[in-house]
Amino acid sequence: MAEEKKGFFRRLVSGLTKTRQNIVSGLDSLFHGFSSIDEEFYEELEEILIMGDLGVKATYAILDDLREKVKEQHIKEPADCKQLLIDSIKAQMQIGETAYEFENRKSVVLVIGVNGVGKTTTIGKLAGKLRSDGKKVVIAAADTFRAAAGDQLKEWADRANAEFIGGQEGSDPAAVVYDAVAAAKARKADVLLCDTAGRLHNKKNLMEELKKINRVIEREYPDAYRETLVVLDGTTGQNALSQAKQFAEAAEITGIVLTKMDGTAKGGIVVAIQSELGIPVKYIGVGETIDDLQKFDSDDFVNALFTADSYEEDGEEE
């Protein structure tokens, strides 16, 4: 397990290369380019963090925290601020215990997300992870409006050796969930994963559809633990944040999955999402294989962000 975590940390360090170049190189030149900590120093720092997609709210909170610590500790050298900044970023991402309760209880997980964010893949990887932990999994293809979504999901279900329940393209998503709940009960499944729609351009329809699905689950499966995850594409930066906000208006979101973190210069969006929405990022994806979807650890994330590139070459942590 420790070996797997170490391997993932290495992939995270590697995956965050573009983000690191985007944020950390600017910070390094700031820490070494200024001879004193003055207003200009803070203004430059603010610009680097906002440009790095950390978001306005998180950036201001980080800067307020940093100013306070610099004052309290009588720090004069900009270079001595680096660790304080890292600690301030970590503090912005602490939003209490990130629960994975659904993994250990009989549960229904609704997975929402717009086309192209990697929702189907995420459900497949999640199913694979749960199966490798010995859980019985049923997958419901309730995103019935997306052409070929069911076929893709069926492939993942077969790969993960999970039960698959689908419906005709364009059929009622709540009806698919109804059938899937019946199958989950009959097979005494541990987790029912439901792929649901994410047509954000028509939020009213989305809200109605989710309400209908929720009513079915509440009526047919009242004792199941509930989880609602939103899948977001890390490469879209601020757009991912605005999607998360809109989904949070349409449904009671309990967690976020951030995909494609290995190809983005906008990895700072993780900080913005947790700080602005107070919704935990529960999983993070840094590649295509099942092992590349892992539980999110904010300390690991920030450490990977600030780990020197040499780590990737020689496997040594600074």
Side-chain angles (χ1 to χ4, degrees):
M1 196 66 194
E3 209 38 55
E4 185 189 325
K5 195 165 168 128
K6 196 173 163 192
F8 184 69
F9 183 77
R10 191 162 289 145
R11 290 202 294 280
L12 192 55
V13 170
S14 171
L16 288 173
T17 301
K18 285 183 184 172
T19 297
R20 186 164 45 251
Q21 287 163 350
N22 190 19
I23 301 173
V24 181
S25 55
L27 291 174
D28 283 343
S29 57
L30 175 72
F31 292 136
H32 297 114
F34 274 77
S35 54
S36 65
I37 300 169
D38 54 14
E39 211 40 53
E40 199 185 332
F41 169 83
Y42 284 120
E43 278 174 21
E44 185 108 354
L45 178 54
E46 180 184 318
E47 192 178 329
I48 291 167
L49 295 178
I50 288 175
M51 294 303 284
D53 276 286
L54 273 79
V56 175
K57 187 180 174 194
T59 294
Y60 286 165
I62 289 163
L63 288 175
D64 287 348
D65 189 45
L66 189 64
R67 282 175 192 267
E68 211 172 291
K69 285 175 179 164
V70 165
K71 215 174 184 174
E72 272 172 16
Q73 298 175 31
H74 307 291
I75 289 168
K76 299 281 181 277
E77 293 295 319
D80 295 338
C81 277
K82 186 175 178 180
Q83 191 54 48
L84 292 180
L85 178 68
I86 291 171
D87 293 342
S88 293
I89 293 173
K90 285 182 181 176
Q92 272 310 294
M93 299 175 76
Q94 298 305 328
I95 49 174
E97 187 59 32
T98 302
Y100 295 92
E101 190 80 16
F102 75 90
E103 292 186 352
N104 307 310
R105 292 172 60 173
K106 182 171 72 175
S107 57
V108 178
V109 182
L110 296 188
V111 186
I112 310 173
V114 299
N115 285 353
V117 294
K119 181 164 58 109
T120 310
T121 311
T122 295
I123 293 167
K125 288 179 183 178
L126 207 45
K129 284 197 155 335
L130 291 162
R131 289 289 297 129
S132 66
D133 289 340
K135 307 285 185 199
K136 268 192 181 174
V137 180
V138 173
I139 296 177
D143 184 354
T144 56
F145 293 95
R146 187 159 68 89
D151 299 343
Q152 215 184 339
L153 202 55
K154 172 90 172 72
E155 258 176 59
W156 273 105
D158 291 346
R159 211 180 298 175
N161 198 13
E163 184 80 30
F164 176 82
I165 306 292
Q168 294 303 307
E169 201 174 301
S171 65
D172 180 7
V176 176
V177 172
Y178 179 88
D179 291 343
V181 166
K185 289 199 302 202
R187 290 167 183 68
K188 296 189 167 43
D190 298 296
V191 181
L192 168 58
L193 292 171
C194 301
D195 180 13
T196 54
R199 296 179 307 289
L200 258 184
H201 57 273
N202 195 335
K203 207 161 37 172
K204 190 171 180 298
N205 278 10
L206 174 68
M207 287 169 93
E208 288 310 314
E209 189 177 305
L210 291 172
K211 272 184 197 160
K212 205 169 163 188
I213 287 172
N214 280 320
R215 279 199 300 271
V216 167
I217 296 167
E218 277 155 23
R219 189 180 68 234
E220 302 296 325
Y221 215 19
D223 54 338
Y225 181 82
R226 302 296 306 281
E227 182 86 25
T228 303
L229 301 175
V230 166
V231 182
L232 300 169
D233 177 344
T235 61
T236 62
Q238 290 298 314
N239 190 29
L241 177 62
S242 72
Q243 270 182 30
K245 282 179 176 164
Q246 288 180 278
F247 277 124
E249 287 166 20
E252 206 174 304
I253 307 303
T254 55
I256 284 166
V257 182
L258 268 172
T259 63
K260 309 183 191 181
M261 291 300 288
D262 50 324
T264 182
K266 299 170 183 290
I269 199 63
V270 177
V271 186
I273 285 170
Q274 299 217 146
S275 173
E276 295 202 17
L277 296 178
I279 298 172
V281 172
K282 293 198 175 184
Y283 294 91
I284 185 167
V286 290
E288 290 309 309
T289 71
I290 275 196
D291 292 337
D292 291 326
L293 181 77
Q294 292 280 349
K295 288 179 182 175
F296 179 72
D297 180 310
S298 57
D299 280 0
D300 273 358
F301 178 82
V302 180
N303 290 340
L305 190 54
F306 283 90
T307 293
D309 292 313
S310 59
Y311 180 92
E312 296 161 67
E313 287 145 35
D314 57 25
E316 289 301 318
E317 201 170 344
E318 270 204 320

